[in-house]
Amino acid sequence: MDTYESIATKLDIREFSSKSVPTEVKRKVLEAARLTQSGRNLQHWRFILVQRKENLKRLADDSISGKWVARADFAVIVLTNPKYPFHLLDAGRVTQDMELAAWNYGVGSGIYTGFDRRALGRDFGISEELNPSVIIGFGYPMRRIVGKKSRKSLAELAFLEKYGEKLEF
Ligand SMILES: Cc1cc2nc3c(=O)[nH]c(=O)nc-3n(C[C@H](O)[C@H](O)[C@H](O)COP(=O)(O)O)c2cc1C
C-alpha cells in the first residue's frame, strides 16, 4: 500500500474478526518496530508480544481504557526507558510504524494508554525501570472500514512561515 494511502485510510480498530493473523505478519510488525529510528539510536525500547487468549484477557483485566484488547488477535506492549526525556516520542514513532506495517497487510489496530501499572508489571514481568508507554491491539477488522476521519482542516493546523499566517496551496 502506498504510504500516504495507508496513513489516510488507517482508523483505530477496536472490534476484530476471529480470523488469525499469520505469524509472518506478526514478525513484520515487530521488524518494523526494530527498524524504527530512536533518539540517539538508543533503541531503549522493548516489546512484549501477547497472543495467548488468556493473556489477552489478562491485558484487558489490567486495563482502564482498553478492555477491547481481549478480542484482539494479538497485542504488543511497548516499553520505553523513562530516563530519556524523549522516550515517549520514541514510543509514539515505533507505535505508528507497527500500526502502518500491519495495515499494509489489512491488519487493523488500536492503541490504549490507560492501565494499572502494578498489575501489568506483575502479570507480564515488567521491571520498574521500564515504562509501559502504550499497548497496541491488532487483528483483522470485524467489518469493512468505511469510516471517515474526524480531523481538523489543514487551514486550522498549518501556517506559512509564521504562526497564524494563512497557508494556501
Ligand atoms: C496518545 C494516544 C492515546 C490513546 N489512548 C487511547 C486509550 O486509552 N483507549 C482507546 O480506546 N483509544 C486510545 N487512543 C486512540 C484515539 O482515541 C484515536 O486514535 C482517535 O480517536 C482517532 O481515531 P480514528 O483514527 O479512528 O479517527 C489513543 C490515541 C493516542 C494517539
Side-chain angles (χ1 to χ4, degrees):
M1 196 186 302
D2 166 80
T3 307
Y4 178 79
E5 190 194 337
S6 183
I7 293 164
T9 56
K10 164 79 178 74
L11 289 166
D12 265 43
I13 300 296
R14 300 187 183 91
E15 289 183 274
F16 303 94
S17 89
S18 55
K19 185 178 162 196
S20 298
V21 175
T23 304
E24 185 50 25
V25 174
K26 293 178 187 170
R27 198 180 66 81
K28 278 273 168 59
V29 166
L30 288 170
E31 277 292 321
R34 186 180 74 81
L35 293 169
T36 298
Q37 295 146 311
S38 56
R40 289 163 46 201
N41 200 22
L42 285 168
Q43 304 167 66
H44 53 91
W45 42 41
R46 297 293 181 269
F47 310 101
I48 305 174
L49 172 68
V50 180
Q51 55 183 8
R52 283 165 55 180
K53 283 288 162 226
E54 67 268 27
N55 286 336
L56 289 164
K57 161 94 172 48
R58 204 160 275 144
L59 265 187
D61 289 344
D62 295 345
S63 104
I64 296 157
S65 57
K67 299 289 179 199
W68 48 264
V69 79
R71 297 183 299 278
D73 181 78
F74 72 100
V76 174
I77 306 173
V78 178
L79 308 168
T80 54
N81 194 324
K83 82 176 176 196
Y84 304 114
F86 45 79
H87 80 105
L88 287 178
L89 179 55
D90 288 341
R93 294 190 72 183
V94 80
T95 297
Q96 187 77 2
D97 276 357
M98 280 191 270
E99 290 195 276
L100 290 177
W103 189 227
N104 185 50
Y105 300 101
V107 173
S109 59
I111 76 170
Y112 68 92
T113 47
F115 36 72
D116 178 336
R117 168 65 179 90
R118 260 167 40 114
L120 200 68
R122 179 197 63 216
D123 291 342
F124 295 92
I126 301 164
S127 65
E128 282 302 317
E129 56 281 6
L130 285 176
N131 184 62
S133 296
V134 44
I135 297 174
I136 320 166
F138 294 90
Y140 291 105
M142 174 81 102
R143 54 188 72 86
R144 204 168 76 82
I145 310 162
V146 285
K148 187 175 175 306
K149 291 201 183 221
S150 166
R151 301 290 190 266
K152 295 181 197 301
S153 70
L154 202 50
E156 286 175 85
L157 302 172
F159 307 109
L160 184 62
E161 313 295 351
K162 203 171 165 188
Y163 189 90
E165 294 293 322
K166 201 169 173 175
L167 170 67
E168 273 179 316
F169 286 112

